[in-house]
Amino acid sequence: MSALFEPITLRELTIPNRLWMAPMCMYSAAGEGPDTGVATDFHFTHLTSRAAGGTGLILVEATAVTPEGRISPNDLGLWNERQQHGLVRVAAGIKSYGAVAGIQLAHAGRKASTDSPWVGGRPIPEREGGWRAVGPTAEPFGDHPDPDALTVAQIGETVRAFAEAAKRALAAGFQVVELHGAHGYLIHSFLSPNSNHRTDAYGGSFENRTRFALEVAAAVRAVWPAELPVFFRTSATDWLAENPQDERAGWTGEDTVRLAKELQAVGIDLLDVSTGGLVPDARIPAGPGFQVPFAERVREATGLPVAAVGLITEPAQAEQIVAEGRADAVLLGRELLRNPYFAQHAARELSAERRWPSQYAKAIGDRG
């Protein structure tokens, strides 16, 4: 029996296996002005094909909760009903192939207002249709323009925006919602001492720097059904100095364990463990499964279910991570871009049951 293809139940939701699709921005939403951020036929095809490919949970890409929370002008959004309506077909399509439909809610913070990566990813100035980014303080990300520091009132508005987006996600048919607290975006930039130099209740101590993340988590949990899970994605380390006295000190693995306990207390059901993204020049020792130890550490210290992500590309590798109890699930990104049917082929390699659509039955045989 394959551990990777065992179901997992979180609250009252059963996910058919532990091989999941990581949220990956496609920078392909439709619309302009107030009608921006709407899912298209591309999103439907892109996401449902991975569901047909046997992936257990499909997490829709980072979806902005406010207009200024977009990474690019082409990001998905979920701050109005038109955007919600555009995602109904996507969620239904994912579920029609036996997968669970999830969505990641996000705010880009000081990394907002940039071009799509394939045209350079440069910051877009306001005179060219960009917008003012926001952050915990007015310090920029790399060579981006200085963001506006959020006021306490604006922080409260952003917390409510996450909750309102979660309500729309539920109405659109999603069964899992994930909060993006990683990769240098708004929540992460509040967490890290490298980017948060506030002197009020949202900066300084660990308790203050985690306040915004915990308020968002609590607000979303309050509007999300008790029987359905809420995930939180974290960057478990900034890959910077870990000595608090060092001017380059960042968020650490120890901080992540502490936060995981707090998130668990407010009702978060799984920690999606990634790393990095806070600064452009961090030295990251990337390699196969390089982020798995951070997930394992959280799981051992807290008992909170975790998902591991990062250069997981082989069925045997994914199987070993789950079978050894290092993570409860794995999230694949680029490998699923390359091969929408990775899960079907992995199931065959691991002698697990496959969930091919019946329309494909003639092609399965020994080679399926």
Side-chain angles (χ1 to χ4, degrees):
M1 180 67 70
S2 164
L4 188 64
F5 286 91
E6 278 286 296
I8 180 171
T9 298
L10 297 168
R11 294 201 177 232
E12 297 178 25
L13 178 69
T14 298
I15 303 171
N17 62 46
R18 292 145 188 266
L19 199 162
W20 302 345
M21 181 175 176
M24 293 175 281
C25 290
M26 294 289 107
Y27 306 100
S28 300
E32 296 181 0
D35 293 326
T36 192
V38 178
T40 66
D41 286 346
F42 168 81
H43 295 93
F44 179 82
T45 302
H46 166 64
L47 295 161
T48 58
S49 62
R50 275 75 190 171
T55 308
L57 166 67
I58 307 292
L59 279 171
V60 174
E61 65 193 73
T63 301
V65 300
T66 65
E68 67 275 8
R70 293 169 294 159
I71 303 168
S72 82
N74 305 113
D75 281 20
L76 288 178
L78 198 44
W79 63 82
N80 65 40
E81 291 186 4
R82 186 165 185 262
Q83 295 161 340
Q84 173 186 316
H85 180 73
L87 287 165
V88 169
R89 180 174 173 239
V90 171
I94 291 169
K95 292 188 288 187
S96 73
Y97 289 104
V100 168
I103 189 168
Q104 185 185 73
L105 302 180
H107 192 299
R110 63 185 192 160
K111 297 175 79 172
S113 190
T114 64
D115 266 336
S116 300
W118 51 82
V119 291
R122 69 180 180 90
I124 304 173
E126 291 181 80
R127 65 180 180 276
E128 295 180 22
W131 57 93
R132 293 284 298 179
V134 297
T137 51
E139 295 158 293
F141 171 80
D143 61 357
H144 289 221
D146 292 349
D148 290 333
L150 287 171
T151 66
V152 171
Q154 289 171 327
I155 291 172
E157 291 168 4
T158 306
V159 171
R160 289 188 288 275
F162 271 95
E164 290 302 310
K167 291 180 186 177
R168 294 189 181 95
L170 182 67
F174 289 98
Q175 301 154 286
V176 173
V177 66
E178 175 172 279
L179 307 176
H180 199 342
H183 301 161
Y185 298 123
L186 186 63
I187 293 176
H188 182 193
S189 67
F190 268 85
L191 293 173
S192 178
N194 185 273
S195 51
N196 183 352
H197 300 120
R198 296 177 72 101
T199 57
D200 62 5
Y202 290 91
S205 67
F206 175 89
E207 290 74 17
N208 284 357
R209 287 184 283 108
T210 58
R211 190 182 307 277
F212 176 53
L214 294 171
E215 287 180 350
V216 170
V220 169
R221 182 72 267 177
V223 301
W224 197 249
E227 67 272 16
L228 295 177
V230 177
F231 295 0
F232 187 98
R233 170 164 270 197
T234 182
S235 279
T237 178
D238 292 335
W239 299 109
L240 298 172
E242 298 204 358
N243 182 350
Q245 306 307 315
D246 193 312
E247 64 178 11
R248 284 279 285 177
W251 184 258
T252 69
E254 181 181 347
D255 291 331
T256 298
V257 170
R258 290 181 65 187
L259 177 62
K261 294 175 182 178
E262 298 293 333
L263 290 168
Q264 194 172 24
V266 298
I268 293 299
D269 302 290
L270 179 140
L271 201 68
D272 170 2
V273 184
S274 187
T275 65
L278 186 81
V279 298
D281 59 346
R283 301 181 66 178
I284 301 176
F290 72 106
Q291 296 173 147
V292 175
F294 295 99
E296 182 179 17
R297 182 176 177 185
V298 170
R299 192 175 191 268
E300 288 180 349
T302 68
L304 181 69
V306 298
V309 64
L311 293 179
I312 299 170
T313 59
E314 300 292 337
Q317 176 195 18
E319 172 73 15
Q320 185 177 21
I321 291 167
V322 176
E324 293 180 350
R326 305 185 72 193
D328 298 275
V330 295
L331 286 153
L332 272 63
R334 296 177 190 180
E335 192 59 32
L336 277 175
L337 295 183
R338 290 186 283 264
N339 181 3
Y341 302 103
F342 179 91
Q344 303 288 15
H345 300 311
R348 181 178 184 273
E349 183 174 319
L350 298 169
S351 300
E353 182 181 356
R354 289 167 286 168
R355 294 189 295 107
W356 282 108
S358 56
Q359 295 91 334
Y360 294 178
K362 292 181 181 179
I364 297 174
D366 292 335
R367 300 180 63 186

